[in-house]
């Protein structure tokens, strides 16, 4: 079976398992796990922030960020298809008592400075005030679109001009950096916090990073604890995470394979493909997505439904060029 449901389905390599087994560990709730500390120091370096915090998942990273930047009852401004709003069980309401206000970022999910200015609400006797702007790059629901550093800077500047901090959901930030051939810091320099996943495309079995200023990370550590994310000998998972961070260079291969997959599928009658910007391929089908995916599965290929007639395929470390060719054949037989 060729599994293109997500770049999270990769199995830890021998190197990852070695890293876990050989990790030096301590109690991270006391700040004494050397592997966690090394990962956090290196992540801050790579992202260009003062500090970084290891969190078990991207969802926890986003939720901790939202809670850390805001006060109860404020508004959080985000794109209407953003993960933090759409796919995190209304955590913004549950964990931070925030009211989301959404913006329509169009086909690619890019939020403009004018939209940010219009969407921000000033606190008054009747209005709660906007506590945070959350951006997403790459934008998952829009098909892994890679917004440019200038796009991120422009939206962030509009929020900052109004005194509002900015969080970047960069679950796949290194894919965006790869697509634009820049360092991740080219995006992070413009925002107040960033989350990125080590478990998506980089080969770590688990874990994400939340990064920002020293004072932000100190406050975030308390909120991580509050949400149950204080971990003990977490070096067992942080050591593979550190390796994952050094695998950023490999994401270009996923992007090339996504382009090849898209070209191949586009030749098949009844299917329309949006040219991928990163490792996500969205395919529009004449038939209902679920029925099409059932037939793909019978032909040895897995994807996920994204809309009634849209299916997502995602390239990752555990598929090679041959798998991509076989995936194209499977799609052709399924149609
Ligand atoms: C996957 C993802 C998350 C959440 O990460 P988990 O580790 O699955 O909790 C957040 N934001 C975006 C854009 C994602 O793609």
């Amino acid at each position: 079976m060729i599994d293109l449901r997500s770049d999270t389905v990769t199995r830890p390599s021998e190197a990852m398992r070695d890293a876990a087994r050989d990790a030096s560990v301590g109690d991270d709730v006391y700040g004494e796990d050397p592997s966690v500390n090394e990962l956090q120091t290196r992540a801050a370096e790579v992202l260009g922030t003062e500090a970084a915090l290891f969190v078990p998942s991207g969802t926890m990273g986003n939720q901790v960020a939202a809670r850390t930047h805001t006060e109860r009852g404020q508004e959080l401004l985000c794109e209407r298809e953003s993960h933090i709003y759409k796919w995190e069980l209304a955590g913004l309401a549950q964990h931070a008592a925030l009211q989301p206000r959404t913006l329509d970022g169009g086909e690619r999910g890019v939020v403009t400075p004018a939209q940010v200015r219009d969407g921000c609400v000033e606190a008054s006797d009747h209005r709660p005030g906007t506590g945070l702007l959350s951006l997403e790059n790459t934008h998952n629901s829009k098909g892994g679109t890679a917004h440019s550093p200038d796009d991120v800077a422009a939206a962030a500047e509009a929020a900052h001009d109004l005194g509002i901090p900015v969080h970047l959901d960069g679950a796949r930030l290194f894919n965006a950096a790869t697509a634009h051939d820049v360092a991740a810091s080219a995006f992070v320099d413009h925002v107040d916090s960033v989350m990125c996943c080590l478990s998506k495309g980089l080969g770590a079995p688990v874990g994400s990073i939340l990064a920002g200023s020293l004072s932000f990370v100190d406050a975030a550590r308390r909120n991580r604890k509050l949400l149950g994310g204080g971990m003990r000998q977490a070096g067992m998972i942080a050591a593979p995470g550190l390796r994952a961070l050094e695998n950023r260079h490999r994401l270009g291969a996923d992007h090339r394979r996504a382009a090849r997959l898209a070209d191949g599928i586009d030749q098949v009658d009844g299917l329309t493909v949006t040219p991928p910007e990163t490792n996500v391929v969205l395919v529009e089908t004449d038939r209902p997505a679920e029925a099409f995916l059932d037939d793909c599965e019978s032909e040895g290929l897995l994807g996920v439904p994204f809309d009634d007639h849209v299916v997502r395929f995602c390239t990752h470390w555990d598929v090679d060029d041959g798998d991509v060719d076989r995936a194209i054949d499977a799609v052709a037989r399924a149609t």
Side-chain angles (χ1 to χ4, degrees):
M1 192 63 80
I2 301 165
D3 190 349
L4 301 184
R5 284 173 302 166
S6 174
D7 48 5
T8 56
V9 300
T10 54
R11 306 286 161 83
S13 64
E14 284 308 312
M16 289 292 171
R17 290 167 195 267
D18 286 348
R21 195 191 54 233
D22 299 341
S24 318
V25 296
D27 190 333
D28 182 51
V29 173
Y30 296 133
E32 290 172 4
D33 189 301
S35 301
V36 171
N37 291 339
E38 193 184 345
L39 170 61
Q40 291 175 163
T41 301
R42 179 67 185 136
E45 221 170 73
V46 166
L47 295 166
T49 58
E50 281 178 3
L53 185 70
F54 184 44
V55 288
S57 69
T59 300
M60 188 183 284
N62 280 341
Q63 294 298 324
V64 165
R67 188 169 167 116
T68 304
H69 283 296
T70 61
E71 289 166 25
R72 280 180 69 83
Q74 285 187 314
E75 290 197 3
L76 177 142
L77 196 59
C78 61
E79 208 282 325
R80 58 189 282 227
E81 298 285 331
S82 57
H83 196 285
I84 199 170
Y85 169 66
K86 194 177 171 188
W87 299 112
E88 300 184 13
L89 285 169
L92 296 172
Q94 306 226 44
H95 305 306
L98 295 173
Q99 168 165 279
R101 177 176 296 271
T102 61
L103 304 170
D104 184 352
E107 257 176 39
R108 297 184 63 250
V110 178
V111 165
T112 67
Q115 287 178 313
V116 171
R117 281 189 291 272
D118 284 350
C120 282
V121 167
E122 204 176 328
S124 72
D125 284 354
H126 303 280
R127 306 203 67 181
T130 302
L132 184 65
L133 168 68
S134 182
L135 302 173
E136 182 172 316
N137 199 20
T138 64
H139 196 305
N140 181 33
S141 291
K142 300 292 182 177
T145 48
H147 306 166
S148 69
D150 284 350
D151 287 338
V152 172
E157 190 184 340
H160 286 153
D161 284 348
L162 298 168
I164 294 163
V166 183
H167 172 66
L168 178 58
D169 175 350
R172 297 186 181 83
L173 182 69
F174 298 118
N175 292 90
T178 301
H180 286 281
D181 197 19
V182 295
S185 58
F187 304 101
V188 180
D189 284 350
H190 304 289
V191 299
D192 303 282
S193 62
V194 63
M195 184 282 286
C196 58
C197 292
L198 303 170
S199 54
K200 291 181 173 168
L202 300 174
V206 57
S208 295
I209 293 290
L210 178 61
S213 68
L214 273 172
S215 60
F216 170 80
V217 168
D218 274 344
R221 188 178 297 106
R222 284 171 60 85
N223 283 322
R224 181 187 67 172
K225 173 75 176 174
L226 179 66
L227 297 187
M231 297 177 284
R232 302 299 181 176
Q233 281 71 35
M236 301 293 287
I237 49 174
L242 185 60
R243 293 221 169 186
L245 207 48
E246 306 307 337
N247 289 334
R248 308 189 300 284
H249 60 84
R250 67 154 308 281
L251 294 172
D254 291 349
H255 296 188
R256 283 191 295 280
R257 289 186 181 121
R260 182 183 172 121
L261 180 69
D263 279 350
I265 295 179
D266 208 34
Q267 312 295 316
V268 180
D269 280 347
L271 300 177
T272 315
V273 181
T274 318
E277 297 183 25
T278 55
N279 65 328
V280 177
V281 179
L282 294 187
V283 180
E284 214 182 311
T285 67
D286 291 348
R287 303 159 57 203
E290 300 275 2
F292 171 67
L293 281 172
D294 284 347
D295 289 347
C296 285
E297 186 168 353
S298 309
E299 298 296 341
L301 174 67
L302 299 178
V304 290
F306 234 48
D307 212 332
D308 291 349
H309 289 269
V310 180
V311 166
R312 183 186 83 171
F313 295 114
C314 203
T315 54
H316 55 76
W317 205 343
D318 285 359
V319 292
D320 59 19
D321 291 339
D323 292 324
V324 167
D325 291 342
R326 281 185 284 279
I328 296 166
D329 290 345
V331 166
R333 285 196 304 271
T335 351

